[in-house]
Amino acid sequence: MPTKSVDRASARDRLLAAAGELFYEEGVHTVGIDRVIERAGVAKASLYNAFGSKDELVKAYLASRHAATQERVTAGLATRYDTARERLLGVFEIQGETIAKPGFRGCAFVGASAESGSDSCVRAASDEFRGWLRNLFLELATEAGADEPTSLARQLCLLYDGAMVSAWMDRDPDAARQARAIAALLVDKSIKAPAQS
C-alpha cells in the first residue's frame, strides 16, 4: 500500500512538471491533456486521479508558478538586501535573473490569462498572484517610508509588468535593468532622505 501512494505522488509530480513545461512553452489551451500525459509518461487515469480535470491541472500549474516566484523573490530579498529601499529595487534585479534564464517566455500568468475567459480558474490564480505582487510592492514602499506608498507600489507594479512583456515581446534581456533604473528615480522621488545631523 505505501508503494501506491509513492507511485501516485510520483505520477502527480511528473504530470505537474510536464504540464509546467508544455503550458509555459505553448499555452494552457493549446496543449491537450494527451500531450501532458505522454510527456509525463503516465497512464491517462493518473491525471484524473491526481487532478480530476485539465482545469485543476492548469490551476496546480499556476499555483506552482506562483509559489516558485514568491519563494525566489522572498528569499532573494531577505538574503541580499538590507533596507526596504534596496528591496524595492531588488525585485527588479531578481526579475532580471528570471528574464535571463534560457527558455524565458514572459509571464506565465499573462500568457494564461490572454487565453482564458474572465470566469476561469486561470483568472482566479492570476488574481491571487497579482494580489501578492501588488502587496509586496505596497509593503516595501510603506516600510521604506514612501510619501504615497499605494501610488508608488502601483507605479512599480506597472514597471515590473512592462519589463516582463518587453523582455519577451522585444527579446530584450536588458528590460529589467532598464525598469530598475526608472524604479530608482520613482523611489528617490517618493522617499525622502533622512535629515542630516
Side-chain angles (χ1 to χ4, degrees):
M1 201 72 149
T3 306
K4 275 191 177 178
S5 74
V6 169
D7 289 345
R8 212 176 284 143
S10 177
R12 184 184 193 289
D13 291 347
R14 289 196 317 255
L15 283 161
L16 193 53
E21 293 167 5
L22 290 168
F23 290 164
Y24 186 65
E25 290 167 8
E26 300 176 33
V28 295
H29 290 297
T30 305
V31 175
I33 58 168
D34 290 336
R35 290 200 46 222
V36 174
I37 290 164
E38 180 183 339
R39 169 126 357 147
V42 300
K44 193 172 216 169
S46 296
L47 182 130
Y48 295 105
N49 288 337
F51 297 100
S53 67
K54 182 180 177 185
D55 278 351
E56 290 302 311
L57 178 60
V58 169
K59 224 159 86 173
Y61 153 68
L62 291 172
S64 72
R65 294 292 298 208
H66 179 163
T69 301
Q70 187 171 348
E71 183 180 321
R72 183 175 59 256
V73 171
T74 303
L77 294 179
T79 59
R80 293 163 42 186
Y81 305 98
D82 295 326
T83 68
R85 182 191 181 283
E86 290 172 351
R87 287 190 289 278
L88 274 169
L89 301 177
V91 172
F92 295 94
E93 293 170 9
I94 294 167
Q95 180 188 44
E97 294 164 5
T98 299
I99 288 169
K101 288 183 179 176
F104 174 75
R105 296 185 59 81
C107 175
F109 296 93
V110 170
S113 293
E115 296 181 68
S116 303
S118 61
D119 61 345
S120 71
C121 67
V122 168
R123 187 44 143 181
S126 296
D127 286 349
E128 188 174 329
F129 175 76
R130 299 292 299 161
W132 168 77
L133 184 63
R134 284 190 299 269
N135 285 335
L136 172 67
F137 279 123
L138 179 58
E139 288 169 11
L140 292 172
T142 301
E143 184 185 341
D147 290 338
E148 294 180 34
T150 302
S151 178
L152 179 59
R154 188 163 183 243
Q155 292 168 347
L156 295 177
C157 205
L158 287 168
L159 272 175
Y160 183 94
D161 293 342
M164 288 297 265
V165 171
S166 182
W168 169 238
M169 297 296 294
D170 300 334
R171 291 167 291 290
D172 180 5
D174 196 43
R177 191 181 67 73
Q178 295 297 327
R180 187 207 179 280
I182 297 166
L185 296 174
L186 293 170
V187 167
D188 288 345
K189 182 180 176 193
S190 181
I191 299 170
K192 302 275 188 280
Q196 300 291 327
S197 47

